[in-house]
Amino acid sequence: MVNIIGKPLNRVDGSLKVTGRAQYSAEFPQENLAYAVGIPSTIARGKIKSIDTSAAESLPGVIKVITHENAPKLQPLKTFMQGGTAAESYLPFQDNSVYYSGEHIGLVIADSLEQATYAASLVQFTYEEETPIVEMQKQRNEEFEPQTVFGKKPSVIRGNPQDAFNKADIKVDEIYTTPTENHNPIEPSATIAVWDNDTLTVYSSTQATYGTRKALADSLEIPEENIRVICQFIGGAFGCKGTFWSHMLLPVIASRQVNRPVKLVLTREDMYNVVGHRAETEQNVKLGATREGKLTAIIHDGITNTSMYDEFVEPFTVATHMMYACDNLQASQRLVRLNRVTPTFMRAPGEAPGIFAIESAMDELAYALKIDPIELRLINHADTDPDENLPWSSKSLKECYQIGAEKFGWSKRNPEIGSMRDGRYLIGMGMATATYPAFSSPASAKAKMLSDGSVVVQSSTHEMGGGTATVMAQLIADTLGFPFEKVCFEYGDTKLPRAPVSGGSMTISSVGSAVHGAVKGLQAKILELGGIKQSDSLTIEDYANILKKNNREQIEIEYDAKFSQEKEYSKHAFGAQFVEVRIDPDFGEVRINRYTGAFACGKILNHKTARSQFMGGIIMGIGMALMEESVVDPNLGRVMNANLGEYHVPVNADIPDIDIEMVEEIDNHVNPIGTKGIGEIGITGVAAAVANAVYHATGKRVRNLPITPDKVM
């Protein structure tokens, strides 16, 4: 038997993608396909007074125009925050209200995309316009406490934090802000709807096939078994495709009305308006400490925003609860309502903006104490979870600090501000802690072996580009001791066993546990059939012979992976981020010179795909630190840079070679295969590490992301 777990195998879907044979949601061919184009609102708040569709409907090739005046009535949906599967409670075309700029208020269906696009531009709306509410700071008198912050109380107090802060020897008390950010996957959200009498097939770019199916069934009032949702490949998601959005209903109701398959592909501008975003935050962090560096108080408060009709919280305080040992803690969040679409999950929701604030404050404390930033974190290392009062399932954070610092060359850092140069350029080094929870959710898988010994395992999960299909195949082959090429993993279809949303860095833990259980169960069933007790010495031919001798063409088993709700351990992945920046003192331009990330995330199933995941998170974190910001017009409530030309994301020239160090640990408390999620931890701490490096180089403490040249000069 050859152990292939951890081996840097190439992706099983690689050839499909580079040759263009991988089918994304907009690419499934349909006979007699019609094209839909959404009509966006040009105001951010008000009522639609009248609609004139005559010019559009008179065009050749235009089939129908749908608005609130002729749309079917839909049933309300529960949002994810309410225990449902929808991103928002808003449903399209149900009345004449307008809640945000860019909201879909009409839909044109035509024989071609060009005809639909032109016709959409001819539909005339008149409005009863109201002044939109779009600036969070101007709504401070309207802020309110949310019902929950991702399962935690919106206000948590441990000990006596305010008194401890007042009595602290050394204090930090600062405001940190992060802007609205958008996801920008390379694949815009797309849906093709095909009705066949009372059955519906939907090809949709979603991270949750079963969640999409349930939302469609609930809204349309049809049985779930009458709906099939297919999504095998996703061209980027980062959270914006994790829950059900209202635009996914538009081609479904259109297809039913025109009795043809209908395709809707969102425009790039739509992606800034109708599929959520990471909400803006303002965070006040107060740290109190002894002169020796021991934290005596942590206070992390602030506000973020939500839509007029939902309550979504960007949970920026969640990591603060457990990051450092401190007897006195306060964490609270409040919301304000704006005329914007409901915010949503974006890679490491909560942790990404929250750790920017807390880790920037820790760096400020380190300078105030004249203590090395790593040493300060070691002094306050939490040996057990201070929030839940539980032992860690595993925690190798100290090893991440040590290995990351050694590989990065932290010992060469001169701690004095502005002391390091490369010619005329200022050099700065910064670091920060990274962390993300290790989630698991119930999942199912079916495993079957054919008479030739080949194995197929199925689950409805997704391949978002992170390597899910590859590591699942590795897990199957390793469990059986089979050659990698003799196993197959099938996914992305509600005809296959149920899987949870591909989000929260939990796919491998959840679906991987189901796959592992199904394969072990299949193996045991075959051995029992052959009257064999030990499997160690069996070859693939031996398994095939057992089936043949028993006249079985195939044998299969389905397995449900379930996870205990009792909390015996606190389960998190950890890491350490190290960055060196080079800054032009005349122009304030910040460049990333070097980067090292060290992570401890349980057993690594494929070092190549894992490295790519960590790198992807870091690159996204660099974008968060230096360039990403959605700019909203304060009068119109419109995203002014809703395109890839003006919303800046990192390109190759912005990113150096990134050194990834994996501190391997096996954590069987999280799941039977010993893994933790790696998809989101890579972005956490990056922005803080960059901001800390900028301060080390320049003495300018930038507390408001992104770190643009005007803030550095």
Side-chain angles (χ1 to χ4, degrees):
M1 291 188 11
V2 179
N3 185 354
I4 63 170
I5 289 294
K7 295 286 190 292
L9 301 185
N10 292 334
R11 299 167 189 260
V12 295
D13 55 334
S15 63
L16 292 176
K17 289 180 175 177
V18 299
T19 58
R21 290 178 292 137
Q23 283 185 296
Y24 291 83
S25 296
E27 298 178 327
F28 286 85
Q30 305 295 327
E31 289 187 11
N32 200 27
L33 179 66
Y35 296 81
V37 169
I39 306 171
S41 166
T42 57
I43 68 168
R45 184 186 183 193
K47 303 283 187 182
I48 299 170
K49 290 173 62 177
S50 65
I51 308 172
D52 183 354
T53 62
S54 58
E57 291 173 325
S58 67
L59 289 177
V62 172
I63 305 166
K64 193 175 184 66
V65 179
I66 303 176
T67 68
H68 74 273
E69 294 181 342
N70 61 349
K73 292 302 175 185
L74 303 167
Q75 292 303 305
L77 292 176
K78 283 187 177 181
T79 68
F80 187 87
M81 305 301 287
Q82 299 167 329
T85 62
E88 56 181 353
S89 59
Y90 166 83
L91 290 169
F93 309 162
Q94 297 302 287
D95 58 37
N96 68 337
S97 299
V98 176
Y99 295 102
Y100 60 90
S101 180
E103 173 188 339
H104 283 146
I105 56 175
L107 189 76
V108 175
I109 305 99
D111 290 330
S112 74
L113 176 61
E114 293 78 10
Q115 290 167 320
T117 301
Y118 179 53
S121 72
L122 299 180
V123 179
Q124 298 295 311
F125 291 85
T126 61
Y127 303 98
E128 183 181 313
E129 189 171 358
E130 300 176 55
T131 302
I133 300 170
V134 295
E135 293 183 274
M136 189 170 75
Q137 291 303 323
K138 291 185 177 180
Q139 299 305 118
R140 296 300 297 263
N141 61 332
E142 300 291 332
E143 63 187 49
F144 64 95
E145 195 173 75
Q147 294 182 13
T148 178
V149 178
F150 275 43
K152 294 185 180 294
K153 294 179 180 179
S155 182
V156 173
I157 294 178
R158 187 167 71 227
N160 193 339
Q162 193 60 58
D163 184 61
F165 178 76
N166 292 339
K167 295 176 180 177
D169 295 330
I170 306 295
K171 302 174 185 178
V172 170
D173 182 355
E174 298 293 350
I175 302 289
Y176 305 88
T177 68
T178 62
T180 300
E181 298 168 4
N182 280 85
H183 302 74
N184 282 303
I186 196 169
E187 176 203 29
S189 295
T191 302
I192 299 174
V194 184
W195 285 93
D196 182 5
N197 296 319
D198 291 330
T199 63
L200 170 65
T201 300
V202 171
Y203 305 87
S204 193
S205 48
T206 173
Q207 296 168 242
T209 51
Y210 272 80
T212 297
R213 187 179 78 167
K214 176 167 176 49
L216 287 168
D218 289 347
S219 187
L220 299 170
E221 293 187 288
I222 61 176
E224 285 190 53
E225 54 267 26
N226 285 18
I227 303 173
R228 181 184 181 188
V229 179
I230 298 170
C231 179
Q232 294 175 331
F233 298 106
I234 307 174
F238 316 114
C240 70
K241 300 171 184 174
T243 41
F244 183 86
W245 290 99
S246 62
H247 74 267
M248 299 159 81
L249 275 163
L250 299 182
V252 173
I253 62 177
S255 175
R256 201 171 208 178
Q257 290 198 11
V258 304
N259 199 29
R260 288 171 61 175
V262 173
K263 179 199 292 190
L264 172 67
V265 180
L266 296 190
T267 66
R268 181 57 60 182
E269 186 173 2
D270 284 336
M271 295 297 294
Y272 287 80
N273 294 326
V274 300
V275 291
H277 50 266
R278 195 197 298 281
E280 175 186 0
T281 75
E282 180 192 280
Q283 307 173 51
N284 180 203
V285 177
K286 299 178 182 179
L287 301 179
T290 66
R291 298 190 187 281
E292 294 72 36
K294 179 62 181 169
L295 285 168
T296 57
I298 301 174
I299 300 175
H300 191 178
D301 301 321
I303 64 168
T304 182
N305 53 69
T306 188
S307 66
M308 286 294 179
Y309 45 82
D310 282 322
E311 191 173 294
F312 183 93
V313 183
E314 179 66 31
F316 54 76
T317 58
V318 290
T320 307
H321 291 250
M322 46 65 66
M323 283 190 71
Y324 295 110
C326 183
D327 294 334
N328 304 294
L329 175 137
Q330 175 180 312
S332 67
Q333 293 197 216
R334 297 174 301 283
L335 282 173
V336 298
R337 295 194 181 278
L338 301 179
N339 285 110
R340 299 289 311 280
V341 68
T342 303
T344 193
F345 310 99
M346 187 169 177
R347 201 172 198 166
E351 277 82 3
I355 290 176
F356 163 67
I358 193 71
E359 286 297 278
S360 294
M362 284 292 285
D363 198 66
E364 299 204 44
L365 182 62
Y367 278 100
L369 290 162
K370 294 183 169 55
I371 294 178
D372 182 89
I374 298 177
E375 181 61 26
L376 178 63
R377 286 162 174 81
L378 290 171
I379 290 170
N380 294 286
H381 181 271
D383 295 329
T384 58
D385 185 335
D387 182 40
E388 298 187 332
N389 196 27
L390 291 172
W392 305 108
S393 60
S394 62
K395 185 178 184 181
S396 303
L397 178 56
K398 291 180 180 179
E399 291 84 349
C400 291
Y401 289 145
Q402 178 187 348
I403 292 171
E406 288 175 357
K407 294 290 185 178
F408 180 74
W410 184 258
S411 62
K412 298 176 183 177
R413 170 183 175 269
N414 185 330
E416 294 300 318
I417 302 299
S419 61
M420 300 179 68
R421 286 183 174 264
D422 179 10
R424 59 183 292 272
Y425 294 100
L426 299 170
I427 301 298
M429 293 184 180
M431 61 82 55
T433 303
T435 187
Y436 196 76
F439 293 123
S440 302
S441 190
S444 301
K446 179 185 288 185
K448 55 185 176 183
M449 182 178 289
L450 307 180
S451 58
D452 64 354
S454 60
V455 174
V456 177
V457 181
Q458 301 170 321
S459 176
S460 65
T461 192
H462 307 274
E463 175 55 82
M464 295 206 296
T468 297
T470 307
V471 297
M472 291 298 181
Q474 285 179 260
L475 188 60
I476 298 163
D478 186 80
T479 303
L480 289 169
F482 277 19
F484 183 68
E485 58 274 7
K486 291 296 289 185
V487 305
C488 176
F489 181 65
E490 296 179 349
Y491 52 92
D493 192 330
T494 51
K495 281 196 170 182
L496 306 179
R498 181 182 295 270
V501 57
S502 289
S505 299
M506 67 180 180
T507 297
I508 298 302
S509 180
S510 307
V511 181
S513 295
V515 166
H516 179 261
V519 173
K520 293 292 287 185
L522 178 69
Q523 185 181 52
K525 193 171 183 179
I526 296 171
L527 293 177
E528 182 182 4
L529 188 65
I532 301 171
K533 293 184 178 181
Q534 295 292 330
S535 64
D536 293 348
S537 60
L538 292 185
T539 66
I540 191 169
E541 290 79 14
D542 294 326
Y543 282 97
N545 287 334
I546 292 172
L547 265 66
K548 289 174 184 175
K549 286 180 181 179
N550 288 273
N551 296 316
R552 301 288 290 269
E553 288 295 321
Q554 67 175 52
I555 190 167
E556 66 180 43
I557 189 170
E558 189 161 336
Y559 181 85
D560 299 323
K562 299 177 181 178
F563 301 89
S564 173
Q565 298 303 306
E566 292 186 20
K567 287 194 171 183
E568 299 178 11
Y569 298 93
S570 182
K571 304 168 185 178
H572 293 260
F574 292 94
Q577 311 275 19
F578 295 85
V579 63
E580 180 182 280
V581 298
R582 184 179 68 169
I583 300 175
D584 187 316
D586 296 325
F587 297 99
E589 181 190 49
V590 180
R591 287 283 183 179
I592 307 297
N593 250 9
R594 298 186 297 116
Y595 205 103
T596 296
F599 303 96
C601 298
K603 182 188 289 185
I604 301 298
L605 301 185
N606 183 313
H607 276 74
K608 179 182 286 188
T609 58
R611 180 174 183 272
S612 294
Q613 284 282 77
F614 291 130
M615 284 180 61
I618 289 169
I619 292 167
M620 200 166 172
I622 291 171
M624 177 183 182
L626 298 180
M627 52 194 81
E628 292 197 48
E629 180 179 15
S630 299
V631 180
V632 179
D633 185 293
N635 299 309
L636 302 176
R638 188 174 305 158
V639 180
M640 302 304 292
N641 58 334
N643 55 74
L644 290 176
E646 296 172 292
Y647 183 101
H648 296 158
V649 297
V651 296
N652 286 348
D654 299 310
I655 306 299
D657 287 337
I658 296 175
D659 174 30
I660 300 295
E661 303 296 329
M662 299 179 218
V663 180
E664 190 147 336
E665 57 185 13
I666 298 176
D667 192 332
N668 291 321
H669 297 303
V670 175
N671 57 57
I673 54 179
T675 64
K676 297 176 183 176
I678 63 176
E680 287 164 284
I681 189 174
I683 193 177
T684 68
V686 178
V690 174
N692 296 340
V694 168
Y695 178 76
H696 178 235
T698 66
K700 297 284 184 71
R701 179 64 69 177
V702 182
R703 303 184 182 96
N704 309 303
L705 294 182
I707 306 170
T708 47
D710 58 300
K711 298 173 185 175
V712 177
M713 291 177 66

